[in-house]
Each structure stands twice: as structure tokens, then as C-alpha cells.
Amino acid sequence: MNETIRFRIRRSPADGGAGNGYQEYDVPFTRGMSVMDGLDYIYEHLDGSLAYYDHAACNQGICRRCLARIDGQTGLLCQTLVTADTTVEPIPTQDVERDLVTKRGRDRNG
Amino acid sequence: MKTIRTDVLIVGGGGAGFRAAIAARQANAETLLVSKGPLARCGASPMAGADLTCHGLGMRQAGFFGEPRDSEEKFFSDIVHQGCFLNDQPLAERFVRDGPQRLIETLEWGCEPYLCDERAIFTSGVGIVDAHLSEARRLGTSFLDDTAVLELIVHDGQVCGAVGLDIRSGEILRFDCHAVVLATGGWHKAYTPVTGSKELTGDGVAMAYRAGAKVANMEFVTFACNVPVWPPVWRGSIVTYAMSLMCGGTLENANRERFLDQYDPETVAIASSTEWNKSFFSFATAREIRAGRGTPHGGVYYVTGDTPWPEFEARALRSYPDWKVKGADFSELGRMLRDGEGVEVAGAAEYFEGGVLVDDRFASSVPGLFAAGECAMSLFGANRVAAATMEMLVSGAIAGTAAGEFAQSHPSSEPPEDRVRTATEAIEAPLRKPSGHGIGHLRHDLQEAASAMLGPVRCGEELEAFLRMLEDARSDRLPNLGLSTTTRSYNKEWIESLEIENLLLVLELSARAALERTESRGVHYREDHPITDNDGWLREIVMSPNRDGVHVEHRPVRVTSLRPPSGTQPYLEMVREMMCAHSDVGGHH
């Protein structure tokens, strides 16, 4: 039952992704876990420097702000189920703020 | 440091904030709304089901079927009984009176209803907030998103500004203003599971309290019942909550016993068909779990019960075609229900009755500081059955008008530099701590403890243990936790370090109030005090900061037309009596 899966995550250069590369983490696998659950595990237990857009995440597929590229497909971190080793990257068409957080969708005229 | 000047600063990017912005703009005040997350896509509003409640005559005014026998008096009476007479009656009267107009304008601004009953329209939370955001925008509100307002500046006896953090860039922002409306919602993140977004950390209540404002009713927390705890991807969804109202079904404990059978059948029947379900089923579920009859992941089983599967499925599919809910796939959940496995569910933190003590204009005890929506003391008293979405619109409109007028009649002086510097240093302090790791872990521990010890069922011993744990977290654990990285850009540990300060404060106030209230009423049940005491406890617990810590006072509830009962009675008898006192108006409220 102590199955683990490997997350391969694209990091910003200053945050462990030397040469704009990837960092890998082993995460305990649970059936019915989302990519967001995996990232939460990494953040809480393995690497608190990891950035992904979740400070205001709804976790229910409603806010749609946790979009990322998951194994090459664009999807919501909170609604995409993990079934095997998983690669997570920022949305390629958007500038990166840090790690998986992109500069999309700011709303300000203040 | 960037300084932004405005007349009225509104903190919160959900329904209460938008409605307050509309009102402040209508009062001709320059208005800036700052949202911690994305506008109209954070907080609790967009996550709501959502119903918008109004008495039957108001429903008819708005062009819907509405119960013609209904009246303002009946709706008011029902709300006060549901609140177990702890409601602030002047505010509850405003809620009833202003409802029709709030409903009509919500529709005018583009929100589309898809169903209605005797006292409510049913639409989506997203629909409600989008309609109000576009109206606030049209009226010339300025906006700032992904920005946390973290400290208020009070000078010369009134609010004159605030200091915040741009979460993406890590830049500190200073706001100079003449009035502030807090619309920051609850402190869902203190619990697990929850039905609100992750940024709800009691920021408004905590900074108001630090600024000297009184808070009240902090012991009352409503848990949505029948919310999945497993698998992780469904955790916190309201899909089974809604299903239980639409399709029926019942609950079983780990021994596969239908434990609701041990309660009064009428109480169960009323709870099953109305939004009394939240408080009663969350209470009954918590009792099973505490008695050691919980499921492997800390819940009970939601099963189809006496509803035959074809009927259950047909009703479910009417609202959730193909078992799809807002982009999420629940077909596996359908299979689990069909095959009789059941879904592991429990109460999830949903609504916080406690908050900033407000007067008839939703003004706090600090001049220039107003509060609306969930971060203000609830007008629903000890238990909410009618819609919080309507409460946010009613209170937002009143607070926004009051703040807009106040800002123009009471110009404040500029925030003193030293006060801004102190606030800035406090925000930046985590960046200067020695490196370390474990903020996320500490938050996780707090969530587990709050859910277990400050949930629907409490007892004195556990509340005392919980308070000790909070003290330990504040004095021992937090000071030793540094950040894994000192980058300013989207630093999750930095943000959480600041949030945890607020969570620790609101949890402490909530646990102290729960310990102080030695009776059971509404959503506050004390195992060691299972009696509702109408002689001793028709009082609100009001807290404010003083030199020695927390100053606690009791305020008798404000009564207008409904005289509260007297005497004492067992909790469940009081619940049944309050349920059965309902007027002859049908529907879910």
C-alpha cells in the first residue's frame, strides 16, 4: 500500500530548477488524489519553496485559477486526478511569475 | 513603498464587498476594492449553491412564484426561531425588509435564476457575484486583486489607512483612506474540510480586533452537513450536501447503523427537507465520530436510504447531468451510491456567525471602520437557515452607504509614518527569520485540532486543551519556523506565516467564547452543558483587546418585537421547538 509516485515539476531558475529545469519529488499515492493534493504534500512535507497558485484556490473547479500543464495537457490542478508519475509545468503561453504561477488574469485598475 | 489614496477602502472580493462598493459609489465616494484572490472567484460567495432568500411577497414583487400567505412578520419570526433567539433583532428586521429590493436589483444586473420556491430563488454563486462585480465596475470602482490587506491604521480616533501585500510581487502597499469596509468573510482555512476558498483566514476580524474593534458571537460556526471527506479530490464539495436535500438519502455510521433513527422523527424530517439540515446533521454526525463510530477517513456514510435508486438517480441527474458538476466529474460517486457503498461525509466549516460587532449601519466600534457579510456579526444569531448570500447583499449595501457618507463628512489625517513602518516591519518579519521549514505543517495541525475540538460538538476539557495548543503554537512553534526561501514573489510560506497569526487569533477568540458559553444553543453544542439556558444566556459574548489580553463582556440580545422564551430545556427539545415554531410557509427556509 506504500506506493509512491514521482512528481516532476518545472521550477524557476532561482528556485532549484537550475538551467530552467525540473525538480523531482516522491509523493505517497492515494487513489482519488488530485495534482493539487500532490503539490500540497510536497509543499507541506518536502519543499516549502514551491510556488503554485493556490493561496485563494477553491479546490472545486469553480475559480479555474489553478490551470497548469499536466503531462502535456492543460488542466486544473485541483480537478485532475493523479494515476501515475506526473509532470507539471506552467501554462506555456503565459509569462512565469514563479515556478507554476503565471502572470495571467490580473485584474487591477487601482 | 507605493501609496494608494481613496475615500473608501473595501477589503474583500466577494458579494459583500461588491455590494458595498456599489453603495459607496452611489454615495459619490471614491472607492477602491482590494481582493486577496481573483475578483468574484475567491471567498465563499462563488462557491455557494446558491439560493437567495426573500419573503414570499417580495418574491412576488420580483416576478416569481412566492407564497402569498407569507409576510415580513412571518419571515422575521422564522429567522429568530431558527437563530434560537440570539439574533440581533434590529438587523434581522433590516434583512427581511431590504430583501426584495436586493433581489430585484440582482436580477436587473444580470443574475439569472433557474428555479424558485416559496422563499428563495436558486441560481449560482458565480452568477450573483458576477452581476454585482459588473455593476460595481460600471459605477467606477477601482480594483486590486491578489493583494492581502493585513493591518489597519487607526489615528486620531478613526481609521485612516491600511497596509497590505501584493501576493504575486511581494511589494508592500500603503492605503490612505477615510473609511474602510471589511468584507473578508470567515476563517474557513482554520478547518478541514471546508466549503470556502483557501484565502479565508479571518483577516478582517483579526485586524479589526487588533485595531481595537469589538467582536461578538465568535463561538458559533455553521458546518455544512454531508460533505465528502474522501477521496481527496472531492473533499469539501457541496455536491452530496445538495443531493441530500434534492434526492433524500440517509446516514450510516461505521457499523452500518442508521444512526438518525435514534432521534425524534419529526426533528429528522424537518432537518431533511430544510436548511436546518446543516446544524442538525453535522451535530449528529460529529457525535457518531466522537463515539468511535466514524468511517476510516473520519466521517459517516451517506447512502440512498429509502429512496429507490432509479428515483434517486433521476433527481440527481436533473441538477447534475451526466454526474458532472461545474467541470468536475462525479460519476464514480454515483456508482458508489448505486452500489450501496455510500460516500464518506462529515460536516465542513461553511459559515461563521461570529465577527465584528456592528450597529444598525454596520459600523464597528472603531470610527470609520465598517464590516459586511460574513466577517460582521451575523444577524442570524446562533444558527443560520436563510441565505448568507442575501445577508451579504443587505449588509454590504448598508455598510457601503454608511462608509461612503462617513468618508466625506469625516476626512481623516494621513497615516503616521511610524505606524506604517511598524505594520510593514511586522509583515516583513517572517522574511528575516532564520531559515527553517514547516509553516504548512503547523497550519495542517491547527486544522485537524480545530475540526476535532472546535467543531459542532464541544466540551470544556477539550476547549482548554485546544487553547493551550494555540498558545504553544504561538509562543513555541511559530517563532522557530522560518521560510524555505526568502523570495518576495508568490512565497506561499510567507503568506501562510502572516495568515497563521490571524488564524491563531480568531481561533483563540472562538475557543474562549465557546468555553465561556456554558450552555448549548444553535450550532454551539456543549457535551458538558447540554441544556439551553434562556434565563442565563440570551446574551452575546463580546470581546475586545485590553492591556491584559482579552476583555470579555456579555451583551443582552437586542429585541424589537419578538420576546425571547425563558427557562431552561434540553438542547434537542429546544431545537425541536424552534423547528416546529415555523410559520405555515413552505420551502427550504
Side-chain angles (χ1 to χ4, degrees):
Chain A
M1 279 307 285
N2 292 327
E3 205 182 332
T4 62
I5 46 168
R6 181 154 293 183
F7 273 75
R8 192 165 159 265
I9 298 173
R10 181 124 181 185
R11 303 292 307 269
S12 299
D15 291 294
N20 210 9
Y22 294 81
Q23 211 165 342
E24 295 185 337
Y25 305 91
D26 289 337
V27 173
F29 174 70
T30 304
R31 201 169 147 260
M33 75 189 278
S34 66
V35 178
M36 181 80 91
D37 292 318
L39 298 181
D40 285 346
Y41 182 89
I42 295 167
Y43 165 70
E44 281 180 30
H45 299 273
L46 306 176
D47 187 349
S49 73
L50 179 64
Y52 52 104
Y53 189 89
D54 87 319
H55 80 282
C58 75
N59 237 3
Q60 304 298 334
I62 295 170
C63 77
R64 306 192 65 81
R65 290 305 191 275
C66 63
L67 278 172
R69 205 148 113 121
I70 303 159
D71 290 331
Q73 302 272 325
T74 297
L76 296 175
L77 295 174
C78 75
Q79 293 302 313
T80 306
L81 288 173
V82 176
T83 49
D85 293 352
T86 302
T87 299
V88 193
E89 300 161 303
I91 298 282
T93 52
Q94 292 163 351
D95 290 340
V96 174
E97 193 93 60
R98 197 163 77 79
D99 295 343
L100 301 174
V101 181
T102 59
K103 294 185 176 174
R104 66 187 288 275
R106 290 221 86 165
D107 192 334
R108 41 183 47 204
N109 56 6
Chain B
M1 183 188 311
K2 192 166 154 193
T3 300
I4 304 172
R5 291 190 175 78
T6 183
D7 293 338
V8 175
L9 172 67
I10 294 173
V11 188
F18 298 148
R19 190 59 190 82
I22 291 167
R25 285 299 299 139
Q26 285 168 337
N28 289 316
E30 197 187 353
T31 303
L32 168 68
L33 184 146
V34 180
S35 175
K36 193 172 175 186
L39 293 172
R41 290 297 180 276
C42 67
S45 327
M47 316 275 287
D51 46 14
L52 208 48
T53 50
C54 173
H55 59 76
L57 301 183
M59 291 281 297
R60 293 168 82 84
Q61 249 175 288
F64 295 97
F65 159 76
E67 171 57 65
R69 289 172 304 173
D70 203 359
S71 65
E72 287 189 1
E73 291 72 25
K74 284 182 187 177
F75 194 26
F76 174 73
S77 168
D78 292 344
I79 287 168
V80 174
H81 282 92
Q82 289 155 354
C84 304
F85 280 87
L86 209 71
N87 313 62
D88 184 87
Q89 291 194 13
L91 294 186
E93 282 185 351
R94 274 309 288 271
F95 175 83
V96 170
R97 196 163 71 236
D98 291 2
Q101 188 48 41
R102 297 290 83 80
L103 174 60
I104 290 166
E105 70 195 18
T106 300
L107 302 169
E108 277 173 8
W109 295 334
C111 175
E112 289 186 16
Y114 48 72
L115 264 177
C116 73
D117 73 7
E118 288 84 339
R119 262 182 187 165
I121 64 153
F122 296 87
T123 176
S124 71
V126 164
I128 297 172
V129 282
D130 282 354
H132 286 84
L133 172 58
S134 65
E135 181 64 9
R137 221 188 266 286
R138 193 183 69 80
L139 292 176
T141 308
S142 298
F143 296 98
L144 210 50
D145 67 357
D146 285 333
T147 299
V149 174
L150 292 161
E151 208 65 12
L152 298 167
I153 310 286
V154 179
H155 183 60
D156 285 342
Q158 91 172 63
V159 166
C160 59
V163 180
L165 174 68
D166 180 325
I167 286 170
R168 285 168 178 266
S169 69
E171 185 187 9
I172 304 281
L173 300 173
R174 165 183 159 167
F175 304 96
D176 291 6
C177 60
H178 306 304
V180 173
V181 180
L182 297 172
T184 54
W187 50 98
H188 299 63
K189 200 177 183 175
Y191 288 89
T192 178
V194 303
T195 63
S197 296
K198 288 188 187 175
E199 85 291 356
L200 294 164
T201 53
D203 298 351
V205 177
M207 65 183 149
Y209 179 86
R210 283 194 295 265
K214 294 180 175 183
V215 300
N217 285 355
M218 293 293 285
E219 64 273 40
F220 298 102
V221 181
T222 289
F223 294 82
C225 60
N226 305 349
V227 172
V229 294
W230 200 259
V233 70
W234 297 341
R235 208 171 158 82
S237 166
I238 58 169
V239 67
T240 37
Y241 163 83
M243 223 172 258
S244 63
L245 266 177
M246 295 182 305
C247 313
T250 190
L251 298 172
E252 292 177 350
N253 62 24
N255 306 330
R256 292 292 181 178
E257 295 156 341
R258 292 192 180 182
F259 60 88
L260 295 172
D261 291 351
Q262 67 186 289
Y263 294 96
D264 165 56
E266 192 170 12
T267 303
V268 175
I270 292 172
S272 301
S273 59
T274 69
E275 294 199 18
W276 268 102
N277 58 352
K278 292 189 175 96
S279 59
F280 180 71
F281 292 145
S282 295
F283 156 79
T285 296
R287 276 179 125 190
E288 289 305 304
I289 295 168
R290 290 170 69 84
R293 296 188 289 270
T295 58
H297 301 100
V300 296
Y301 294 108
Y302 171 60
V303 296
T304 54
D306 296 330
T307 313
W309 175 249
E311 194 183 327
F312 191 102
E313 186 182 32
R315 285 192 211 165
L317 292 179
R318 217 176 298 154
S319 292
Y320 306 133
D322 220 10
W323 295 97
K324 295 274 193 320
V325 186
K326 296 171 181 167
D329 183 359
F330 283 91
S331 48
E332 172 65 5
L333 187 139
R335 186 201 62 74
M336 289 160 78
L337 288 169
R338 184 195 67 203
D339 294 349
E341 288 171 26
V343 181
E344 289 185 65
V345 298
E350 159 146 300
Y351 175 80
F352 294 78
E353 278 84 353
V356 178
L357 180 74
V358 289
D359 67 9
D360 295 352
R361 302 203 76 196
F362 287 84
S364 77
S365 56
V366 172
L369 181 61
F370 300 80
E374 223 173 315
C375 73
M377 177 191 80
S378 172
L379 55 88
F380 294 115
N383 177 47
R384 175 178 72 78
V385 173
T389 47
M390 182 56 92
E391 182 191 35
M392 82 194 174
L393 300 180
V394 168
S395 61
I398 299 169
T401 303
E405 289 170 4
F406 185 95
Q408 291 166 89
S409 58
H410 296 74
S412 60
S413 49
E414 273 201 8
E417 290 297 333
D418 61 319
R419 303 289 301 286
V420 174
R421 203 177 317 119
T422 307
T424 304
E425 279 167 10
I427 293 169
E428 292 181 337
L431 292 174
R432 285 191 278 274
K433 281 204 259 184
S435 67
H437 174 63
I439 292 289
H441 208 86
L442 171 60
R443 187 246 311 137
H444 192 95
D445 288 351
L446 285 175
Q447 290 170 327
E448 297 285 337
S451 304
M453 297 193 263
L454 198 54
V457 176
R458 294 100 185 252
C459 74
E461 226 169 86
E462 282 183 5
L463 291 169
E464 280 165 5
F466 183 62
L467 282 165
R468 283 195 298 275
M469 185 196 160
L470 296 179
E471 181 49 40
D472 178 57
R474 185 182 292 123
S475 55
D476 282 353
R477 289 184 71 178
L478 196 52
N480 294 317
L481 292 176
L483 309 180
S484 303
T485 168
T486 52
T487 177
R488 299 185 75 102
S489 163
Y490 208 91
N491 186 335
K492 276 165 58 66
E493 286 185 329
W494 184 19
I495 302 159
E496 284 217 284
S497 295
L498 301 166
E499 289 178 338
I500 279 183
E501 301 274 357
N502 291 342
L503 288 175
L504 286 171
L505 175 56
V506 293
L507 282 173
E508 182 197 339
L509 297 172
S510 180
R512 275 175 179 253
L515 190 59
E516 176 94 355
R517 183 172 288 279
T518 48
E519 66 146 4
S520 295
R521 182 183 300 273
V523 293
H524 168 74
Y525 178 79
R526 282 281 298 264
E527 274 176 350
D528 46 349
H529 295 281
I531 298 290
T532 303
D533 176 4
N534 292 315
D535 298 331
W537 275 113
L538 281 167
R539 295 179 293 179
E540 294 150 347
I541 296 171
V542 177
M543 297 166 145
S544 51
N546 71 3
R547 218 163 291 148
D548 312 317
V550 184
H551 175 68
V552 180
E553 57 191 309
H554 292 180
R555 186 180 84 153
V557 288
R558 298 199 301 165
V559 172
T560 54
S561 59
L562 260 191
R563 209 160 65 90
S566 58
T568 60
Q569 63 190 137
Y571 172 72
L572 283 171
E573 267 181 37
M574 173 80 171
V575 168
R576 183 171 191 277
E577 201 172 291
M578 294 300 105
M579 282 180 169
C580 294
H582 198 272
S583 64
D584 55 358
V585 177
H588 293 93
H589 306 95

